[in-house]
C-alpha cells in the first residue's frame, strides 16, 4: 500500500508519534522487517492491546501500515513517512551547518583583529 507524501503541516503528527519511547522501539523492531502485533508485544514485553494502540498512532502519522494475513495482523514500516521527516530535517541541517560555518568565520575574524603583541602582553587597548 502506497502512502501519499504529506504536506509540511502534517510533520507534527510524525513528531508526536515518535515522541513516545515505546513507539520508537516499535519502529526499531520493524526496521529489520515485518512483524505481527503478537511478535512486537513479546519483543517489547507489553500487551498486544497496548501495541495496537501505539500502532494506531504510528499509522496515523504514516510511519507504519498493518495488513491481515489470515488471523494475524502483520505490521511494516512505510518509507514515505520517513521520507517526509528526512526532507524536513535536511532543510534544518543546512541551516545548522551554515550557522556553524558562520561561527567559524566569526571566530577567525576575532583572531585576526588582535595584533600579535597584544595577544601575548595583555596590553590590548592600553598605551605603552
Amino acid at each position: 500500500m502506497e502512502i501519499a507524501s504529506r504536506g509540511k503541516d502534517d510533520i507534527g503528527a510524525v513528531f508526536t508519534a515518535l515522541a513516545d519511547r515505546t513507539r520508537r522501539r516499535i519502529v526499531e523492531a520493524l526496521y529489520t522487517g515485518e512483524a505481527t502485533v503478537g511478535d512486537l508485544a513479546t519483543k517489547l514485553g507489553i500487551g498486544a492491546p497496548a501495541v495496537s494502540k501505539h500502532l494506531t498512532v504510528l499509522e496515523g502519522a504514516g510511519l507504519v501500515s498493518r495488513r491481515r494475513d489470515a488471523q494475524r495482523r502483520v505490521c511494516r514500516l512505510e518509507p514515505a513517512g520517513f521520507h517526509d521527516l528526512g526532507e524536513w530535517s535536511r532543510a534544518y541541517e543546512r541551516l545548522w551547518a551554515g550557522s556553524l560555518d558562520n561561527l567559524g568565520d566569526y571566530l577567525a575574524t576575532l583572531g585576526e583583529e588582535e595584533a600579535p603583541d597584544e595577544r601575548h602582553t595583555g596590553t590590548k587597548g592600553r598605551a605603552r
Side-chain angles (χ1 to χ4, degrees):
M1 164 171 50
E2 182 78 18
I3 294 181
S5 183
R6 294 175 311 281
K8 291 179 183 177
D9 293 339
D10 295 332
I11 198 72
V14 173
F15 281 113
T16 299
L18 295 175
D20 184 87
R21 182 176 188 270
T22 301
R23 289 193 284 270
R24 289 191 308 271
R25 289 177 60 207
I26 290 171
V27 167
E28 290 168 7
L30 292 174
Y31 182 76
T32 57
E34 294 182 343
T36 65
V37 173
D39 294 338
L40 292 169
T42 299
K43 183 171 187 164
L44 300 175
I46 59 177
V51 170
S52 289
K53 287 181 182 181
H54 285 296
L55 286 168
T56 299
V57 174
L58 290 166
E59 280 181 304
L63 300 173
V64 170
S65 65
R66 288 187 269 189
R67 64 177 168 78
R68 277 210 182 273
D69 182 19
Q71 295 297 317
R72 304 174 340 145
R73 298 282 297 195
V74 181
C75 311
R76 64 177 286 227
L77 293 180
E78 288 297 334
F82 293 96
H83 174 76
D84 293 346
L85 179 60
E87 288 293 312
W88 185 90
S89 65
R90 274 189 288 285
Y92 288 93
E93 181 180 351
R94 288 188 292 273
L95 172 71
W96 299 322
S99 294
L100 289 176
D101 290 343
N102 292 339
L103 177 61
D105 293 344
Y106 174 72
L107 293 175
T109 61
L110 287 180
E112 292 169 2
E113 289 176 0
E114 287 186 14
D117 63 329
E118 293 174 342
R119 279 183 264 167
H120 298 294
T121 62
T123 60
K124 188 175 187 176
R126 286 194 250 157
R128 288 192 185 188

